[in-house]
Amino acid sequence: MASDGARKQFWKRSNSKVPGSIQHVYGAQHPPFDPLLHGTLLQSTPKLPSTPVKAKRGSTFQEFESNTSDAWDAGEDDDELLAMAAESLNTEVVMETAHRVLRNHSQRQGQRRQEVPAERPRPRPQSPSAPGADPRLVKSVSESHTSCTAESSSEAVPLQRSQSLPHSSTGALSGGATDHSALSCSALTEREASRLDKFQQLLAGPNTDLEELRKLSWSGIPKAVRPMTWKLLSGYLPANVDRRAATLQRKQKEYFAFIEQYYDSRNDEVHQDTYRQIHIDIPRMSPEALILQPKVTEIFERILFIWAIRHPASGYVQGMNDLVTPFFVVFICEHIEAEDIDNVDVSHVPEDVLRNIEADTYWCMSRLLDGIQDNYTFAQPGIQMKVKMLEELVSRIDEHVHRHLEEHEVRYLQFAFRWMNNLLMREVPLRCTVRLWDTYQSEPEGFSHFHLYVCAAFLLRWKKEILEERDFQELLLFLQNLPTATWGDEDVSLLLAEAYRLKFAFADAPNHYKK
């Protein structure tokens, strides 16, 4: 009797919102609300008076509870079991989903308790809640119950709604430990779609607002619009849409006129050394899968040789060759489907497209080098000055790291020279360089001034590992071979955010550079 009284009391407290009534089935297509955040909604719902009909319905739920006791925790508070939805569902959809939940649950009840599959042998897994699952997503029911609900609801009549959870999120709940990453990927996809739409609207206007484009590009540029955005931000193309086609045609024609005029002189005695050094350096570049393609090698040789001939103040200097790659890869990915930019294959790209990409790469690289040319003139004074500024900046930001390097006689020039000469291209994967350059092209003097703060943030990113090294050789080897092979966009975004913080704190305070 006491047990029956407890049951009646339990159902009495929630008789207006019990599962199976014409209410929302949570975990199927709608995430349960957090009662801490939405408690006011729950409290504002009036409780319906008990009637004989409700009593009869309560008996049905008592029978349901006895058959599915593993799916419910009667000791939890009412708010933890049920939540209200922001919008109403179709009654037929709800009832159909509820029936499928009961049917599937009774069939799989015994299997789920012991079954913890290492891999998914079927398209619809039956595993119980995984250790890596996000508990916020399954407050009202067990994760296994939610999984079945998600499966059954996907087979029901399609919902005419856009407010429900993303499709990938529902499947992730039954996928075990990967549900959190799947939800993150889904959210990222939605965010990227929104950002892409903003870029496309901005680029489609008759006159692109370059200031607004820089603001959007700072946090990364979607792959689909990156080629055009880079050409605009580098100053290669005009903001006016009507002038772009004519500008492209004129600049491409001008570049190939340079080739006809200068490229044959590569075998002349005065230019032999320059061409030979370019020819030696290109195979040393990365990624090898791209660089070792004969067509790519020829394109890079022409670009670098023409630039060296037309800029005698600096000529060709080792390090310039790396700066060609990001532009070339970004522009060619507009014409091919390549998920991994390290393995771009140009063999199927038409010759006329390759010619246009070559010209575009040349002009964009020229624009970049115009802003940092003192890095490559005699004795490379620009790099010498930036390394010195980096040393003084780090001494102000983190004296502990600075003293540790000094005590072990590690000079900044020994590791930071390459950071400035190659713009960190030898320190991070190519995909990270492309993301890094999205922001560099959005910043005023990004490749010269902002790069200094990125290098400072990059060094301090390894503070723990640096302080653990107690030997000059090991310390220098670590700084010259930093473990960034697995880095992605998130790591670069964190690096850029820290660099921006340092710039905000130090850029307008020149005395911070002085001891």
Side-chain angles (χ1 to χ4, degrees):
M1 293 297 293
S3 177
D4 292 340
R7 290 176 186 272
K8 290 178 181 179
Q9 181 65 21
F10 170 74
W11 292 112
K12 182 178 179 181
R13 289 190 295 116
S14 56
N15 58 359
S16 63
K17 298 175 288 183
V18 291
S21 63
I22 304 178
Q23 301 291 334
H24 306 290
V25 180
Y26 297 97
Q29 289 291 335
H30 294 271
F33 284 7
D34 189 338
L36 297 178
L37 299 176
H38 303 277
T40 55
L41 290 176
L42 293 170
Q43 294 170 4
S44 63
T45 305
K47 293 188 177 181
L48 299 179
S50 299
T51 64
V53 177
K54 291 294 180 180
K56 182 179 179 181
R57 193 177 298 273
S59 177
T60 302
F61 289 125
Q62 291 175 18
E63 181 182 353
F64 167 74
E65 186 204 12
S66 65
N67 293 330
T68 59
S69 58
D70 67 312
W72 299 91
D73 183 3
E76 290 187 23
D77 185 74
D78 213 5
D79 294 341
E80 292 294 329
L81 294 173
L82 303 168
M84 294 184 63
E87 297 181 28
S88 300
L89 280 174
N90 184 282
T91 303
E92 296 179 0
V93 175
V94 172
M95 296 304 295
E96 175 66 19
T97 303
H99 288 313
R100 288 182 182 275
V101 170
L102 295 174
R103 202 162 50 241
N104 289 339
H105 183 80
S106 60
Q107 292 174 357
R108 301 176 183 177
Q109 178 179 351
Q111 299 176 8
R112 290 195 310 271
R113 293 191 179 187
Q114 302 296 331
E115 186 178 7
V116 185
E119 56 182 289
R120 293 187 289 179
R122 296 182 181 179
R124 292 192 293 272
Q126 304 171 3
S127 60
S129 63
D134 193 338
R136 294 172 298 175
L137 298 176
V138 285
K139 282 193 172 184
S140 60
V141 293
S142 67
E143 200 161 305
S144 58
H145 183 81
T146 306
S147 176
C148 294
T149 308
E151 293 171 7
S152 58
S153 62
S154 65
E155 297 172 357
V157 181
L159 298 177
Q160 303 294 325
R161 295 171 57 81
S162 61
Q163 294 84 0
S164 59
L165 279 174
H167 178 70
S168 58
S169 304
T170 331
L173 289 175
S174 61
T178 59
D179 61 346
H180 182 72
S181 60
L183 286 170
S184 300
C185 291
S186 174
L188 182 64
T189 301
E190 291 181 1
R191 184 165 64 251
E192 286 300 317
S194 175
R195 283 176 51 76
L196 177 59
D197 184 60
K198 291 180 180 179
F199 272 94
Q200 289 173 338
Q201 291 182 17
L202 191 59
L203 295 172
N207 289 285
T208 302
D209 185 343
L210 294 181
E211 190 59 34
E212 186 65 26
L213 187 62
R214 288 189 181 94
K215 291 178 182 178
L216 275 178
S217 302
W218 204 100
S219 300
I221 304 171
K223 181 180 177 182
V225 295
R226 183 176 277 134
M228 177 57 68
T229 305
W230 276 27
K231 291 172 186 176
L232 288 168
L233 293 180
S234 66
Y236 173 43
L237 288 184
N240 184 274
V241 175
D242 297 333
R243 294 173 51 206
R244 289 176 192 167
T247 301
L248 273 175
Q249 186 177 5
R250 176 172 56 83
K251 300 298 283 186
Q252 290 167 358
K253 183 178 180 181
E254 186 177 350
Y255 170 72
F256 287 106
F258 292 154
I259 289 181
E260 292 180 6
Q261 182 177 356
Y262 299 118
Y263 195 59
D264 288 340
S265 66
R266 65 188 184 279
N267 296 319
D268 294 351
E269 184 176 354
V270 67
H271 296 144
Q272 273 184 351
D273 290 342
T274 298
Y275 179 75
R276 182 169 58 249
Q277 189 62 55
I278 293 171
H279 189 72
I280 291 172
D281 288 345
I282 287 178
R284 300 172 180 171
M285 296 166 60
S286 62
E288 292 183 358
L290 172 68
I291 300 303
L292 296 182
Q293 298 178 53
K295 287 184 179 180
V296 177
T297 301
E298 293 172 6
I299 289 172
F300 280 35
E301 286 179 354
R302 285 195 292 267
I303 290 173
L304 292 168
F305 183 78
I306 296 300
W307 194 92
I309 294 299
R310 299 193 68 248
H311 296 81
S314 63
Y316 171 75
V317 177
Q318 287 178 311
M320 290 181 178
N321 49 317
D322 285 324
L323 307 184
V324 181
T325 309
F327 289 113
F328 182 80
V329 168
V330 166
F331 296 156
I332 203 166
C333 283
E334 187 178 14
H335 304 279
I336 62 176
E337 293 293 333
E339 293 297 327
D340 184 4
I341 61 176
D342 290 333
N343 296 308
V344 172
D345 184 6
V346 304
S347 59
H348 301 296
V349 180
E351 288 296 329
D352 59 332
V353 173
L354 277 178
R355 283 172 57 87
N356 293 339
I357 292 172
E358 178 180 346
D360 296 342
T361 302
Y362 170 82
W363 288 114
C364 288
M365 188 201 73
S366 296
R367 290 279 184 171
L368 186 160
L369 289 174
D370 286 347
I372 57 172
Q373 192 168 354
D374 61 341
N375 286 8
Y376 304 105
T377 53
F378 179 73
Q380 299 182 271
I383 292 179
Q384 302 277 352
M385 179 182 65
K386 289 183 178 68
V387 170
K388 182 63 177 175
M389 290 171 67
L390 175 64
E391 180 177 357
E392 295 182 358
L393 181 59
V394 172
S395 70
R396 295 291 179 178
I397 298 170
D398 197 318
E399 189 176 1
H400 196 188
V401 171
H402 178 69
R403 286 184 178 275
H404 186 76
L405 294 175
E406 280 191 336
E407 289 171 1
H408 292 84
E409 299 181 352
V410 175
R411 301 290 175 257
Y412 283 77
L413 204 61
Q414 293 171 325
F415 62 88
F417 181 89
R418 189 171 70 181
W419 297 6
M420 303 298 178
N421 192 49
N422 303 86
L423 299 178
L424 288 177
M425 282 195 61
R426 296 294 179 98
E427 319 309 319
V428 297
L430 180 57
R431 61 183 178 275
C432 296
T433 298
V434 171
R435 169 63 189 90
L436 198 63
W437 284 24
D438 287 346
T439 301
Y440 280 2
Q441 297 195 79
S442 308
E443 276 280 332
E445 300 179 337
F447 290 97
S448 55
H449 186 61
F450 187 65
H451 180 66
L452 170 67
Y453 298 95
V454 172
C455 288
F458 188 62
L459 177 63
L460 298 178
R461 162 67 177 77
W462 311 101
K463 175 179 178 177
K464 178 182 176 182
E465 293 83 355
I466 290 172
L467 296 179
E468 288 175 353
E469 297 291 348
R470 300 292 179 179
D471 178 74
F472 167 81
Q473 184 176 355
E474 293 298 325
L475 188 55
L476 191 58
L477 283 174
F478 174 76
L479 289 171
Q480 292 178 344
N481 299 276
L482 294 167
T484 60
T486 60
W487 271 31
D489 284 358
E490 184 178 351
D491 300 282
V492 176
S493 296
L494 291 173
L495 179 68
L496 290 168
E498 177 62 15
Y500 184 82
R501 186 187 71 83
L502 295 178
K503 178 189 173 186
F504 184 82
F506 290 91
D508 295 327
N511 288 334
H512 280 267
Y513 286 130
K514 300 176 183 178
K515 291 185 179 180

